[in-house]
Amino acid sequence: MDIMYRSTRSTQTRVTASRAILNGLADDGGLYVPEQIPALDIPLSKLADMTYQETALAVMRKFLTDYTEEELSYCISRAYDSKFDTEEIAPLTEADNACYLELFHGPTIAFKDMALSILPYLMTTAAAKNQEKHEIVILTATSGDTGKAALAGFADVPGTKIIVFYPKDGVSPVQERQMVTQKGANTCVIGIRGNFDDAQTGVKKLFSDRELKKELEQKGFCFSSANSINIGRLVPQIVYYVHAYGRLLSMGKISAGEKINVVVPTGNFGNILAAFYAKNMGLPIAKLICASNENKVLFDFFESGVYNRNREFHLTSSPSMDILISSNLERLIYRVAGEDAKKNSSFMESLAKTGSYEITAEMRQALSDFIGGYATEEQTSEEIRQLYEKEHYVIDTHTAVASHVYRSYRLETGDDTAAVVVSTASPYKFARSVMQSIDSSCKDLGDFELIDRLCAASGTPVPAAIEEIRTAPVLHDQVIRADEMEAAVKRFLFA
Ligand SMILES: *Cc1c(COP(=O)(O)O)cnc(C)c1O
């Protein structure tokens, strides 16, 4: 069965998977969604014996139906190789009654690597399949981790250029250093005076600017996106939920068919949406627990049915979740609106105009598998300390948000269904916040001293991604206002 992709905002659009990946965003500003969610066609019990790469093929071939099996196998084998520091790719670690799905063993030590190590292969394969003559320009807004993972994936990939915008004061020192030291003549990294939403809104504007599109085409370029709005990001993320289920089986934690809960630290809603798609493929998932930091717009949404971004923006210790407009929620809204593009568009229009919208009671009913929770800064820090003292397991701030939300959920409900807490970043990426939580004497230490302390405390080796930036020279130092983004793009491309 061929799966075609439609836009969440109009009924006319209908494209193949490879075309959707090339385009990134639909012309009408909507997000591409599969016409139907295919069923997982392997027996659950078999998952226990499958490698990550085999699971990836089993999942991705169901969604990306215009890629041949050979093409997908090629993309998968290139993506999930020794760039990851463990053969398991996504290991599951048990600690304090939960299983932490560690998605940070890739080249940039954040979960974005799970999708961004394969996206460049999916995209260049798509370009060849569609006889795309233009050079692909990846435009990306980042809250910190996407930027580096996308840069690492696309650096020096022939036929592509990549431009990354990040909020100058909204990322961790390690995140910023990772990006501004990026090598590769086709890369460009720019700081924005503003927050992530300003950067993301700016990028969306560039995407929907028809004049700009024409001008670029004349000069031989076309835009695409490496953000989680690209369906080529989302599909590879479904894989690790299926993989985690297999690991739980092989660890003897569950039997085939038994349901699990998943707990996901959430920002742009891509990761948890992939879990929702996995559930709709037939993976036995009971609750999808959506964990937010103090920017708890999603918690309030699941509580009240009202999405309202008109509120104070908090800079937290989990910057990759400091987001008030969760782009991928649109895909869920579209689905619970009965795949009604008109209805979805009216909500999104309201969001753009007034900053809020309210869904119907019927739609809320369809969201009953989702549970929202949030952690304050203090609770996040306390969670890191507690888990370290109890189990000597060190988690990063984002994972700690999820871990706290899960702990409270379990206390409140007594639900002891086997649970996967998604661990989205290495603690090394957020060493300052992590070390301040477990050792109050670290206050005045420098970033790399903290990293050495963390190494001693956790007993885990310092990842190569961190060692690299100790001495790497800064190669990108542009900082601009959000309204200067278009000019900056032209400067880089037309130089
Ligand atoms: C991106 C990111 C998140 C949020 O993921 P979404 O898919 O945007 O919800 C959480 N934690 C870390 C470390 C991230 O990099």
Side-chain angles (χ1 to χ4, degrees), residues 473-495:
V474 171
L475 301 173
H476 308 265
D477 59 3
Q478 247 193 102
V479 181
I480 63 171
R481 293 191 314 264
D483 62 5
E484 296 171 317
M485 287 166 69
E486 179 175 341
V489 166
K490 288 184 183 170
R491 259 199 315 275
F492 176 62
L493 292 181
F494 305 161

Side-chain angles (χ1 to χ4, degrees), residues 130-181:
N130 289 275
Q131 280 110 42
E132 179 63 64
K133 303 264 182 335
H134 297 100
E135 187 164 22
I136 299 166
V137 179
I138 303 294
L139 269 195
T140 290
T142 183
S143 55
D145 292 328
T146 293
K148 180 60 189 184
L151 287 162
F154 281 96
D156 294 323
V157 172
T160 71
K161 284 193 165 31
I162 173 163
I163 306 174
V164 169
F165 296 101
Y166 72 96
K168 176 68 187 158
D169 298 317
V171 301
S172 84
V174 171
Q175 285 178 316
E176 181 173 34
R177 241 193 116 66
Q178 278 189 301
M179 289 190 278
V180 298
T181 55

Side-chain angles (χ1 to χ4, degrees), residues 111-112 145 265-271 320-321 398 424-425:
F111 98 97
K112 305 295 195 293
D145 292 328
T266 297
N268 228 350
F269 211 77
N271 201 349
S320 301
M321 296 157 67
H398 303 75
T424 49

